Amino acid sequence: MRSLRLAIGFLTVLPVGGAYAGPMGLARVYFPLVGLGLGGLLAGLDVAARQVLPLPVVGALLVVAMLVLTRALHTEGFLDTCDGLLGGCDREARLAILRDSHVGAFAAIGGACLLLLKWTLLAGIPEAERIGLLVLFPSLSRFAMVAAMSVFPYARTQGLGSAFQDGASWRQLALALLTAAAAGGLLLGLAGLLLLGVATVVALGLGLWFLRLLGGMTGDTYGATNEVAEVAVLLAGLILIQLSPGFAGAPFW
């Protein structure tokens, strides 16, 4: 269970200890499972908050809760990625900007767009599919990170993200996929599997873009992949619900 503790300690604020020790590649298999735990916490907060608060306020609380529960780790990576990829003119300049701790204009604009999208999407989930989608989307976005880690090389010789290549194999990707697929099918049925496909496409599409501009992935781009996948899964979920009401609420059980 050491690898599970590593995954929880890295992906969440929970004080399980030893988050940065050992071959993190072995912990990748638990990323979707940790995402399910985060989704469960969000769903519990949502149920409680909706008893006394309107949905726009609940949506804002969910955004803040996710930032707190994850130490804003992935959001910070998204901000750095916005600055690095949009502000640099070549690979070396982009990688240098990614290491810079200062927040630039592209990060500020990208962060504002990201939080606005999350807030409106979380507030807009209909009642019938609300719990299932809230529990599922953090799991699928964390599978997207595992997919990107498995398929694309690391752009640097060292860095925080390079630890996820230590001890890694295709077995972690297969088991993570199995976890995400089971969660999607059990929570939302065929719609959940379609959303898993959306998360995978996001991971592969972003990975190809990062490969072209950076020569591979970095810790920041892993975080950016998670953030974009969260928005994509939520948006695709709402589209499915609008196109076929009730379709996204038919779990395989």
Side-chain angles (χ1 to χ4, degrees), residues 10 32 34 44 57-59 103 120 145 166 181 187 191 219 228 231-232 240-241 244:
F10 182 79
V34 175
V57 179
V58 174
V103 176
T120 53
M145 282 199 291
D166 296 338
L187 290 167
V228 176
V231 170
L240 282 175
I241 293 167
S244 181

Side-chain angles (χ1 to χ4, degrees), residues 10-173:
F10 182 79
L11 294 176
T12 78
V13 73
L14 299 178
V16 297
Y20 299 99
M24 292 294 291
L26 298 176
R28 301 188 327 193
V29 66
Y30 295 109
F31 277 24
L33 183 61
V34 175
L36 282 176
L38 289 170
L41 292 175
L42 286 185
L45 173 61
D46 180 77
V47 170
R50 279 190 291 122
Q51 306 304 311
V52 293
L53 295 171
L55 276 177
V57 179
V58 174
L61 286 176
L62 294 179
V63 171
V64 172
M66 202 60 166
L67 291 172
V68 172
L69 288 170
T70 62
R71 307 187 310 279
L73 176 68
H74 311 307
T75 304
E76 190 269 341
F78 174 84
L79 299 181
D80 286 345
T81 300
C82 287
D83 270 342
L85 268 63
L86 300 178
C89 58
D90 55 38
R91 178 179 182 272
E92 289 70 25
R94 295 181 187 111
L95 289 173
I97 293 173
L98 284 172
R99 285 195 181 278
D100 193 338
S101 60
H102 295 87
V103 176
F106 292 115
I109 295 170
C113 293
L114 177 72
L115 296 178
L116 178 61
L117 280 169
K118 283 191 178 184
W119 171 51
T120 53
L121 290 170
L122 288 170
I125 304 173
E127 176 71 24
E129 297 84 7
R130 190 166 181 83
I131 297 301
L133 191 52
L134 283 177
V135 174
L136 184 60
F137 86 90
S139 178
L140 299 187
S141 67
R142 279 146 189 83
F143 169 75
M145 282 199 291
V146 178
M149 291 173 183
S150 302
V151 174
F152 300 101
Y154 198 68
R156 295 190 175 104
T157 57
Q158 60 182 355
L160 178 58
S162 64
F164 291 100
Q165 303 302 326
D166 296 338
S169 71
W170 288 99
R171 180 174 178 270
Q172 279 86 41
L173 176 62

Side-chain angles (χ1 to χ4, degrees), residues 159-199:
L160 178 58
S162 64
F164 291 100
Q165 303 302 326
D166 296 338
S169 71
W170 288 99
R171 180 174 178 270
Q172 279 86 41
L173 176 62
L175 292 175
L177 175 61
L178 181 62
T179 301
L186 289 173
L187 290 167
L188 292 178
L190 180 57
L193 299 182
L194 291 175
L195 294 180
L196 173 58
V198 169

